[in-house]
Amino acid sequence: MLNVPKTGETSYADGKILQGIVDGVGVVTFNNPDKRNAMSLEMWEGFGQALTALRDDPAVRVVILVGAGDKAFVSGADISQFEKTRHNAEASEEYSKRSAAQRALLADYPKPTIACIRGFCLGGGMQVAMLADIRIAGSGSQFGIPAAKLGIAYGYDGLRHLVSLVGPSWARLIMYTGMRINSAEAQRIGLVDRVLDDAEVWDATLEIARTISGNAPLAIKAAKITIAQVLKDPAERDMAAIKQIGIDCMDSEDFREGRTAFMEKRKPQFRGR
Ligand code: COA
């Protein structure tokens, strides 16, 4: 079991999505361990609600996404719902719209996000993990996109992120075979950033989150905005947004605090303004 501290949790989707705050770090837990945290439509919607609540909470500076139990991050969409909700192109479009709306929230999330991955990270779970800013994985984790084994077309956004992380060749190998790869291979190809012992992955992720939340929020926002623009096609880049966040940073109280604290040899206290 992951020793995720449970403080002031709010639940969505009949408890299958949990949202809590640990030391100023927001945590969203995919909580359907009996089904390896497979995502039903209700869970996608609950996920969106939890993300929105943490986005709008000024006390939260960074958000961790984690799966309950030790067997899975998320094993993909809940296949048992497919017969009813995703059986043909028309139904699938409606299904995709409802789940994509929640993933769009994560894609445009204004705060840093970290996926803490143990066990299976498959299909839609990979999509969630790839949309997070950073991926920290346990050594026993396994990754794959079994769309070709099910007859599903994996969407543009998911593939765009896969290609940007692992390159087109590995993306093809993963998609054409539907194979699962282990944590060492996932790290080697750039799918995950750091691999730790399963027992240490939660504490290590929380430590990174705490470090981020102690840094200057505007400087982190500047990095987040700028890196997102770098990944876009040149014609779509919002250079004005990059310029504006640069101005906001350099005119901020936090920049003054950062340089004063350095000169006074003390830890800075950042306020995000
Ligand atoms: N949707 C619905 N149910 C799922 C699921 C999913 N994506 N993934 C796992 N489950 C369910 C299983 O049906 C099983 O239910 P049961 O106990 O009622 O039989 C339970 O979760 C445990 O799964 P099981 O296969 O027995 O566990 P495992 O540890 O041997 O294997 C997986 C785990 C994740 C490798 C395997 O369940 C699997 O391949 N799941 C499908 C993954 C997938 O194709 N995802 C992409 C969907 S688009």
Side-chain angles (χ1 to χ4, degrees):
M1 240 342 242
L2 270 185
N3 56 339
V4 182
K6 306 245 179 277
T7 45
E9 268 180 346
T10 309
S11 84
Y12 304 92
D14 282 336
K16 294 196 169 81
I17 296 289
L18 303 175
Q19 168 226 310
I21 300 174
V22 184
D23 301 343
V25 174
V27 180
V28 180
T29 307
F30 304 104
N31 185 37
N32 193 10
D34 289 348
K35 279 196 174 188
R36 308 293 183 261
N37 303 324
M39 292 285 282
S40 62
L41 270 178
E42 297 72 30
M43 285 172 72
W44 280 117
E45 283 166 354
F47 177 50
Q49 290 168 302
L51 283 177
T52 304
L54 293 171
R55 181 194 66 193
D56 296 342
D57 185 337
V60 171
R61 290 188 178 174
V62 50
V63 173
I64 298 176
L65 311 175
V66 68
D70 57 3
K71 298 222 165 67
F73 175 69
V74 169
S75 68
D78 184 336
I79 301 169
S80 68
Q81 285 194 326
F82 285 6
E83 204 43 50
K84 215 169 162 187
T85 57
R86 215 181 177 185
H87 52 283
N88 61 24
E90 192 188 349
S92 184
E93 195 174 327
E94 180 56 29
Y95 178 98
S96 300
K97 230 188 266 167
R98 284 174 67 187
S99 61
Q102 321 309 325
R103 287 192 297 273
L105 271 174
L106 181 58
D108 294 328
Y109 211 63
K111 299 177 181 180
T113 52
I114 311 175
C116 175
I117 302 161
R118 294 220 315 182
F120 296 108
C121 177
L122 303 173
M126 280 272 285
Q127 234 170 330
V128 170
M130 292 189 295
L131 281 170
D133 289 329
I134 297 163
R135 283 149 293 282
I136 308 296
S139 52
S141 50
Q142 289 193 46
F143 302 82
I145 302 178
K149 291 186 186 293
L150 288 159
I152 292 175
Y154 206 63
Y156 175 79
D157 281 339
L159 284 181
R160 189 166 66 89
H161 284 99
L162 183 66
V163 172
S164 79
L165 288 170
V166 307
S169 196
W170 256 106
R172 291 186 191 104
L173 188 52
I174 287 170
M175 296 309 298
Y176 295 178
T177 63
M179 74 206 260
R180 293 211 293 258
I181 59 171
N182 65 22
S183 57
E185 188 135 58
Q187 185 179 27
R188 197 175 57 72
I189 67 174
L191 190 57
V192 301
D193 306 306
R194 194 170 264 183
V195 174
L196 295 127
D197 196 81
D198 283 330
E200 290 166 18
V201 68
W202 170 254
D203 286 342
T205 306
L206 193 55
E207 188 56 36
I208 292 170
R210 284 198 185 108
T211 301
I212 293 171
S213 68
N215 285 339
L218 284 173
I220 292 166
K221 196 171 167 192
K224 179 153 180 159
I225 287 175
T226 308
I227 293 166
Q229 299 309 316
V230 169
L231 292 174
K232 287 186 180 169
D233 289 337
E236 286 174 15
R237 284 183 194 147
D238 186 352
M239 300 310 281
I242 296 176
K243 189 167 180 209
Q244 186 56 53
I245 187 69
I247 293 168
D248 294 348
C249 265
M250 302 318 279
D251 280 345
S252 68
E253 283 174 29
D254 280 354
F255 178 40
R256 194 176 324 130
E257 166 66 4
R259 48 186 204 268
T260 309
F262 179 83
M263 296 311 290
E264 293 174 357
K265 299 190 190 304
R266 62 171 173 80
K267 200 173 176 295
Q269 296 297 324
F270 294 120
R271 300 213 160 92
R273 53 178 197 256

